[in-house]
Amino acid sequence: MKFESLLIHGGIDGDASTGAVNVPIYQTSTFKKSEFENTKDNVYEYSRTGNPTRAALEKLITELEEGYAGFAFASGMAATTAALSLFKTGDKILISNNVYGGTFRVLDKYFKNFGLNYSVFDSSNIEELKNNIDDSVKAIFIETPTNPLMGITDIEEVAKIAKENNIISIVDNTFMTPYLQKPITLGADIVIHSATKYLGGHSDLVAGLVVVNNNELAERIHFIQNSTGGVLSPFDSFLLIKGIKTLALRMDRQNSNTTVVAKFLRNRKEVEKVYYPGFVDHPGHEIQTKQAKGYGGIISFVLKEGYDYKKFLESLELITFGESLGGVESLICHPATMTHAAIPYEMRQAIGITDNLIRISVGIENVDDIIEDLIKSLEI
Ligand SMILES: Cc1ncc(COP(=O)(O)O)c(C=O)c1O
């Protein structure tokens, strides 16, 4: 089945017992045991351990990412936390230098308490990655493109280096989704999603997914999921399956709208710089073109020194000023005080998350309306 059809018919297609075209919401905490011993027809016991609506979603994301098994969590951060829980005291995780602020925070302020170390590297520089590897490094965690500066990392190269050194490679695929990029097919071991974003697509849920490429990791992640319990509810699993059905249509429109908005911003006198992997002169453009089917729906841009970015953000009307991304509506945010506030000031300055940096997630509205809103607010 082609990917677009898999989005609609993959996983568990409808409900065999009634013919319903949608997977039912199994809103139950527990299941009646029909026999004393567990059998293969008697797989569900308790909804933290497994739930049929969640299982349909987990099978679907596994097929979409071409992985071995998938797991659904109550948020992207719960998914990241589950993946990082594979490691122990004394281990070290290498992370890209501008990963999502929450990923940095959970390592810096939470896992550090348990002796799990991390070190930050520029993941667009493979030599720097090699130089950072020592015996304590057990995982490489990357995002590509990175949030918010759209840094590109060669997934195949990172996965190769990881394998050579017996290290697990983890890719946060939130920005691209499997419609545009499939890290497991490029050699990665684990894929993570904040499904809150493009996979859900409607800003109506918070969810996270982990997909692994082998049975050993599947057993370990399932153990962590069941033991720590941050599972996705049956209702949110249903909503996410529903959102995923239109992923290809939404992303096609977001990709094309974003190209128009990026070109528009680049030609404005108020704008200093535009970060968009679709530009041929964007660092890593060739790698992005090689490993993904598109450039996604996110643009970051720097407003010129002295320009009143607060007034600009507050005067937008169609574009929503708020956290998050990947919804059908255009969303704009101020990374330094919102998504990346957890990153220390000096580090933010060093990597380019300055106060006049703005990130926009382009929605599926008519692109003329998006441009009109930007013009009006830039000229205010
Ligand atoms: C790239 C990326 N990964 C992970 C997360 C965390 O996901 P959630 O907010 O669903 O916990 C986010 C949230 O913005 C994100 O942008």
Side-chain angles (χ1 to χ4, degrees):
M1 216 187 288
K2 297 272 193 298
F3 189 85
E4 291 79 356
S5 312
L6 208 53
L7 289 171
I8 293 146
H9 300 291
I12 293 168
D13 192 11
D15 176 32
S17 65
T18 61
V21 295
N22 288 304
V23 174
I25 304 168
Y26 287 91
Q27 192 67 37
T28 184
S29 59
T30 194
F31 299 82
K32 180 180 170 182
K33 280 173 85 71
S34 50
E35 290 170 52
F36 192 84
E37 302 295 343
N38 284 340
T39 64
K40 70 173 174 26
D41 304 322
N42 193 8
V43 286
Y44 295 107
E45 302 166 359
Y46 186 61
S47 279
R48 168 159 45 75
T49 315
N51 173 283
T53 317
R54 196 175 88 222
L57 167 67
E58 292 175 333
K59 189 164 184 299
L60 177 60
I61 192 64
T62 306
E63 291 172 9
L64 298 178
E65 287 285 5
E66 297 190 39
Y68 179 84
F71 303 90
F73 293 87
S75 69
M77 282 320 302
T80 298
T81 300
L84 293 174
S85 302
L86 289 166
F87 307 99
K88 59 182 193 315
T89 307
D91 289 350
K92 194 201 276 178
I93 317 290
L94 294 183
I95 54 165
S96 328
N97 62 358
N98 55 359
V99 284
Y100 170 63
T103 304
F104 174 82
R105 179 176 55 196
V106 79
L107 279 163
D108 188 52
K109 299 267 185 316
Y110 178 78
F111 280 105
K112 214 164 97 183
N113 297 333
F114 305 101
L116 181 64
N117 302 316
Y118 75 91
S119 170
V120 179
F121 74 104
D122 175 0
S123 65
S124 55
N125 181 343
I126 293 296
E127 283 312 306
E128 193 181 318
L129 169 63
K130 286 183 186 161
N131 293 339
N132 267 283
I133 293 177
D134 61 38
D135 287 348
S136 67
V137 174
K138 300 294 178 224
I140 306 172
F141 189 118
I142 60 166
E143 247 177 69
T144 180
T146 51
N147 180 6
L149 295 172
M150 314 307 291
I152 309 297
T153 304
D154 190 325
I155 299 173
E156 218 165 358
E157 275 289 312
V158 170
K160 194 168 127 242
I161 293 165
K163 274 202 177 65
E164 283 165 7
N165 290 279
N166 214 11
I167 292 170
I168 292 178
S169 52
I170 307 174
V171 180
D172 182 329
N173 203 26
T174 299
F175 273 29
M176 288 286 102
T177 82
Y179 180 51
L180 298 181
Q181 175 172 283
K182 293 188 190 175
I184 288 178
T185 66
L186 298 169
D189 297 307
I190 300 179
V191 166
I192 286 175
H193 281 283
S194 168
T196 314
K197 312 290 165 21
Y198 288 103
L199 290 174
H202 296 78
S203 305
D204 55 1
L205 66 101
V206 174
L209 298 166
V210 174
V211 183
V212 299
N213 73 346
N214 66 55
N215 185 50
E216 191 216 327
L217 284 174
E219 285 184 357
R220 291 175 66 197
I221 293 284
H222 185 249
F223 177 80
I224 292 165
Q225 185 190 41
N226 187 39
S227 306
T228 59
V231 292
L232 193 65
S233 73
F235 182 64
D236 284 345
S237 298
F238 166 84
L239 275 184
L240 188 46
I241 293 170
K242 185 167 183 273
I244 286 174
K245 287 183 197 290
T246 56
L247 177 70
L249 289 174
R250 286 184 283 105
M251 289 214 87
D252 282 347
R253 176 65 161 263
Q254 269 152 328
N255 279 343
S256 61
N257 277 359
T258 306
T259 306
V260 176
V261 175
K263 286 184 183 153
F264 160 80
L265 286 169
R266 198 174 223 193
N267 290 322
R268 290 298 301 198
K269 64 175 184 341
E270 301 85 352
V271 176
E272 181 75 46
K273 186 171 181 170
V274 180
Y275 296 91
Y276 174 57
F279 287 145
V280 286
D281 56 356
H282 182 87
H285 171 80
E286 274 173 30
I287 298 169
Q288 177 71 14
T289 307
K290 177 187 77 169
Q291 70 189 10
K293 270 176 41 194
Y295 304 105
I298 309 290
I299 306 165
S300 289
F301 59 99
V302 181
L303 286 165
K304 286 216 169 113
E305 198 65 38
Y307 189 85
D308 191 345
Y309 59 85
K310 289 186 187 164
K311 210 160 133 198
F312 163 70
L313 289 167
E314 284 168 0
S315 56
L316 290 160
E317 283 176 320
L318 177 101
I319 304 169
T320 306
F321 175 33
E323 294 268 358
S324 206
L325 57 97
V328 287
E329 65 287 298
S330 293
L331 281 158
I332 201 158
C333 85
H334 183 242
T337 54
M338 296 164 74
T339 51
H340 290 69
I343 297 177
Y345 176 80
E346 291 72 27
M347 192 171 162
R348 281 204 312 265
Q349 294 300 309
I351 60 182
I353 306 180
T354 51
D355 284 351
N356 45 357
L357 181 82
I358 309 289
R359 186 191 73 192
I360 176 164
S361 163
V362 181
I364 66 168
E365 299 95 339
N366 186 305
V367 74
D368 293 344
D369 289 329
I370 301 173
I371 301 274
E372 196 182 306
D373 200 28
L374 287 169
I375 294 177
K376 184 185 63 37
S377 303
L378 283 169
E379 290 177 356
I380 217 147

